[in-house]
Amino acid sequence: MSRKQFISKLSYHLSALNIEERREIISFYEDRFNNAVYEGKTDEDIISELETPEEIARNVLSEYGIQKRVKEQRVEPTSILGILFFDLFITSWLLPVLVTVTGALTMSWFSYFATFSVFFNFGFGTALAAFILSTAVFAVYLVFILYLIAVVIKLVLFLFTWHVRVFTGNKNINLIDRLESFNLFDELKKIKITHKLLGIIALTGVVVAVASVGIWRTVAKPTELINGTIETHEFEVSDLENYSLSTLLSNAAVDVEYGTSDKVVVTFNNYDEAEITYTELTNGLDIEDKTRYEFWDNVSGMDFIISLLNNDLVFNPSHMTIEVPVGIEFAELEIHTDNGEIDVEGMNATILDISTANGTLSLTGVEADSIKSVTVNGEITFDDVFAGTVFIESVNGEIELNDINTASIDGARLDITLVNGEITVSDAYFKRVDIENVNGNVSYFNTDRSYIAESVQLETVNGKESSNVGY
Amino acid sequence: MGAQLKKGVLDLCVLNIVLKEDSYGYDIYQNINSDLEISESTIYPILRKLVKEGYCETYLKESNEGPPRKYFKITKLGQTKLEVLRSEWNSFIHTVNNMLGSEA
């Protein structure tokens, strides 16, 4: 019997003990062998000095108060048929999924530099800011991945050792021990990477990431130019009346306001700093790269469409300002952006249609026959608006209307629909008012209490309706 | 001396040995075995138990011949325990002697 066989046998006979205890006991015998050489003894000499593994185990177990029989309990009770069924229905998909997902997530960590450059190219402040944010994010991600890998390794080893147990009993107890006691974090500890350190890394990462995004958001409001160029385009306006203007923007905040020039002036941040070539037409621009943005005039020569598509996505949504000559009267003013605020000040239009998916809408000093204002996530604010019919729709956000005076117009009508948020309407003089909300209060108060509407309908499912308007 | 009788006093003997001098497993065994014949495999679980209960501590010590050995060192708690065991032992042999004496 060799030393290895001796230890292996001993380990097998001690299998009723847990790993730690078993290791401690075996370590005494390993010490004996290790020191044998220095006493001029061979392994065989030591083995002959020692009791047999069976005897040792019996003595040791009795010291632990364990009868020999107990060790059989360490053999898994699962039958081979059971384990085969488990493999067929669970392991067959669980194992590949775990390994693939973990592998994919781990590999994706290496996209650090790609992410950094994405942040940078999309103009997250400066290169330094982009570097700090991506580093922080990836520090947190690394910690997450390490824990994930540790858990998956444990699980895979468990499955494996379970199979070894069921198929070979305790014959391979040493292998099973070694596999079962493997812990990624024990290995990491050897190179001074402890749970505490990882916790600190993750926490620091989260704090730095949140802080840098916070700082970026306060410092880099979309209205300010960070690292793009400001482009200005001017368009002659031949007729101040019956002009139509519409925008089709993917990620830009829009301000529509009166300017000092007698032209329509469109200014916006071009973060992409790309060279744009365009040809000037009578009433607009034709820009070659139409996927990015384009200006053109329609057949009549009176309409004016601005579109700015696929521009900078998340970090630096462009900010566009459309200044129009004082006195211009739009037949139709249609302002649409997918993500961004819309701010309309002092316009005069027959039809005013403003919509965004994510962003607040604000109208001040606007005069229109009909106003349609739609957002999904964002506040809607009307102040000093004169309109015949007003249609407002939002899902999440507050709606606040103040000073809307159209009492004189026949059929003047206010329609508001909201799901989550407060609706506050004050001094809105319409013939018919219809306000619907689901979660949130609805309030409608007029200063002029003598005003009687034709009909006022306030409705909310979870909230309070309050009004002093008679009808 | 019967095996059961021996076992009862092994804790006492081991603690007494490591009180005098820090020692390693095989050495402790040989020390006891020279006076009281016991099997090696009985001593090791006791050493392990004493460490687990906090009566002993271990540390690795380089030796002149051979790899570092695990040395056992008595703790404060172990010293108190030793005193308790010692007085228990004294009162035990006193009682037994009395019984035997009165019978004789």
Side-chain angles (χ1 to χ4, degrees):
Chain A
M1 185 162 55
S2 71
R3 165 188 175 163
K4 213 177 145 193
Q5 282 171 320
F6 182 89
I7 297 289
S8 162
K9 262 195 160 175
L10 181 57
S11 180
Y12 170 70
H13 288 288
L14 285 174
S15 59
L17 294 178
N18 68 38
I19 295 173
E20 204 192 338
E21 296 301 322
R22 194 171 344 140
R23 280 208 175 143
E24 287 292 335
I25 298 300
I26 288 171
S27 78
F28 285 107
Y29 291 92
E30 272 169 345
D31 277 358
R32 288 293 306 276
F33 285 109
N34 289 337
N35 287 291
V37 188
Y38 301 92
E39 294 160 18
K41 290 176 185 168
T42 64
D43 285 351
E44 284 84 61
D45 293 337
I46 298 290
I47 289 169
S48 65
E49 266 178 32
L50 296 170
E51 301 147 287
T52 66
E54 289 84 356
E55 278 170 330
I56 294 173
R58 206 178 311 118
N59 279 335
V60 169
L61 290 178
S62 88
E63 282 297 322
Y64 277 92
I66 298 170
Q67 300 302 310
K68 200 173 176 287
R69 224 161 234 277
V70 184
K71 83 165 205 269
E72 263 100 62
Q73 283 178 0
R74 274 188 53 96
V75 178
E76 288 291 321
T78 319
S79 70
I80 286 179
L81 195 66
I83 208 166
L84 287 177
F85 268 102
F86 185 85
D87 286 348
L88 192 61
F89 293 109
I90 310 286
T91 320
S92 59
W93 60 265
L94 185 66
L95 207 59
V97 165
L98 278 177
V99 172
T100 321
V101 169
T102 313
L105 286 174
T106 308
M107 292 321 285
S108 74
W109 187 82
F110 293 95
S111 65
Y112 170 75
F113 290 102
T115 309
F116 166 65
S117 66
V118 165
F119 283 166
F120 181 49
N121 285 339
F122 281 159
F124 182 78
T126 60
L128 182 67
F131 172 73
I132 291 172
L133 177 68
S134 36
T135 306
V137 167
F138 275 80
V140 178
Y141 192 35
L142 176 67
V143 173
F144 163 74
I145 285 173
L146 281 177
Y147 279 90
L148 182 74
I149 292 174
V151 169
V152 171
I153 288 178
K154 269 262 167 244
L155 212 72
V156 171
L157 288 179
F158 166 77
L159 282 175
F160 183 73
T161 51
W162 182 38
H163 282 72
V164 174
R165 277 232 179 89
V166 169
F167 286 108
T168 67
N170 276 335
K171 257 182 246 154
N172 296 302
I173 191 78
N174 287 325
L175 175 69
I176 292 172
D177 274 1
R178 224 171 312 138
L179 293 179
E180 276 188 347
S181 61
F182 178 84
N183 185 330
L184 184 65
F185 288 102
D186 291 343
E187 304 303 310
L188 287 175
K189 252 179 222 153
K190 287 178 195 160
I191 49 168
K192 299 272 182 287
I193 298 175
T194 58
H195 287 287
K196 203 171 151 196
L197 179 68
L198 289 174
I200 291 168
I201 291 175
L203 202 68
T204 316
V206 170
V207 170
V208 171
V210 169
S212 64
V213 170
I215 290 166
W216 166 76
R217 286 184 73 96
T218 37
V219 175
K221 288 200 181 110
T223 46
E224 289 163 28
L225 182 67
I226 303 301
N227 61 350
T229 50
I230 292 181
E231 285 193 22
T232 307
H233 301 275
E234 294 188 352
F235 311 97
E236 296 287 344
V237 177
S238 50
D239 188 349
L240 286 180
E241 282 172 34
N242 296 321
Y243 212 101
S244 284
L245 167 67
S246 58
T247 68
L248 190 65
L249 313 169
S250 54
N251 296 291
V254 197
D255 279 350
V256 184
E257 60 196 37
Y258 287 125
T260 46
S261 145
D262 58 355
K263 295 169 179 167
V264 170
V265 181
V266 177
T267 314
F268 65 96
N269 304 349
N270 180 7
Y271 285 103
D272 300 332
E273 294 188 75
E275 289 280 326
I276 314 292
T277 51
Y278 54 81
T279 332
E280 224 170 308
L281 299 176
T282 323
N283 283 309
L285 299 170
D286 188 8
I287 288 164
E288 281 177 7
D289 184 3
K290 290 195 175 183
T291 56
R292 294 172 43 80
Y293 58 86
E294 38 190 292
F295 298 84
W296 72 91
D297 62 336
N298 80 348
V299 190
S300 77
M302 301 292 281
D303 291 344
F304 181 26
I305 301 169
I306 303 171
S307 70
L308 179 61
L309 301 174
N310 300 331
N311 61 318
D312 189 329
L313 291 170
V314 186
F315 289 108
N316 275 319
S318 291
H319 187 94
M320 179 179 280
T321 307
I322 302 170
E323 286 172 292
V324 298
V326 180
I328 198 165
E329 280 178 30
F330 289 106
E332 194 172 337
L333 181 58
E334 185 190 350
I335 309 293
H336 172 79
T337 180
D338 290 341
N339 296 295
E341 299 177 24
I342 300 178
D343 199 340
V344 179
E345 254 177 74
M347 288 298 122
N348 188 323
T350 309
I351 297 170
L352 178 59
D353 186 344
I354 59 175
S355 59
T356 177
N358 298 299
T360 64
L361 302 179
S362 130
L363 269 71
T364 320
V366 171
E367 215 178 305
D369 286 357
S370 105
I371 298 178
K372 189 174 162 196
S373 165
V374 179
T375 183
V376 179
N377 299 302
E379 291 171 31
I380 299 181
T381 319
F382 278 40
D383 195 22
D384 184 20
V385 170
F386 193 92
T389 61
V390 175
F391 177 84
I392 297 173
E393 197 182 284
S394 178
V395 178
N396 300 303
E398 317 283 286
I399 295 178
E400 201 180 325
L401 275 61
N402 185 38
D403 199 3
I404 307 180
N405 198 332
T406 55
S408 56
I409 299 176
D410 278 340
R413 198 190 153 107
L414 172 65
D415 245 296
I416 305 178
T417 320
L418 179 69
V419 179
N420 300 304
E422 304 270 304
I423 302 178
T424 316
V425 180
S426 57
D427 288 325
Y429 300 97
F430 287 90
K431 295 268 196 274
R432 299 174 72 87
V433 174
D434 210 322
I435 305 176
E436 266 182 51
N437 195 357
V438 179
N439 300 305
N441 298 331
V442 174
S443 88
Y444 177 28
F445 289 91
N446 282 344
T447 316
D448 181 2
R449 294 206 180 188
S450 63
Y451 180 74
I452 306 290
E454 278 172 18
S455 94
V456 174
Q457 297 255 354
L458 308 183
E459 227 183 277
T460 175
V461 180
N462 301 303
K464 246 175 36 196
E465 299 121 7
S466 50
S467 173
N468 70 349
V469 183
Y471 59 96
Chain B
M1 196 170 170
Q4 289 306 314
L5 258 178
K6 281 184 205 165
K7 269 189 190 172
V9 296
L10 280 177
D11 286 14
L12 179 59
C13 298
V14 170
L15 282 175
N16 197 48
I17 287 167
V18 289
L19 177 76
K20 282 184 232 157
E21 198 186 351
D22 295 355
S23 188
Y24 57 91
Y26 185 53
D27 194 36
I28 295 170
Y29 157 70
Q30 281 181 318
N31 213 323
I32 295 176
N33 197 43
S34 60
D35 301 321
L36 203 68
E37 204 183 305
I38 50 160
S39 74
E40 200 177 340
S41 50
T42 318
I43 285 294
Y44 296 154
I46 287 171
L47 281 171
R48 171 68 191 142
K49 188 187 77 186
L50 290 173
V51 170
K52 245 174 115 180
E53 289 172 351
Y55 301 134
C56 283
E57 282 170 356
T58 63
Y59 61 93
L60 283 178
K61 191 179 164 190
E62 297 290 335
S63 75
N64 294 332
E65 64 275 343
R69 284 191 166 110
K70 190 153 85 174
Y71 271 72
F72 291 79
K73 178 182 188 298
I74 193 159
T75 62
K76 275 260 152 58
L77 190 67
Q79 289 177 17
T80 320
K81 178 73 179 174
L82 177 60
E83 283 315 306
V84 173
L85 288 176
R86 203 197 292 273
S87 69
E88 274 178 7
W89 172 251
N90 283 335
S91 87
F92 174 74
I93 50 169
H94 184 72
T95 315
V96 175
N97 278 340
N98 272 352
M99 284 166 67
L100 296 178
S102 64
E103 270 174 33

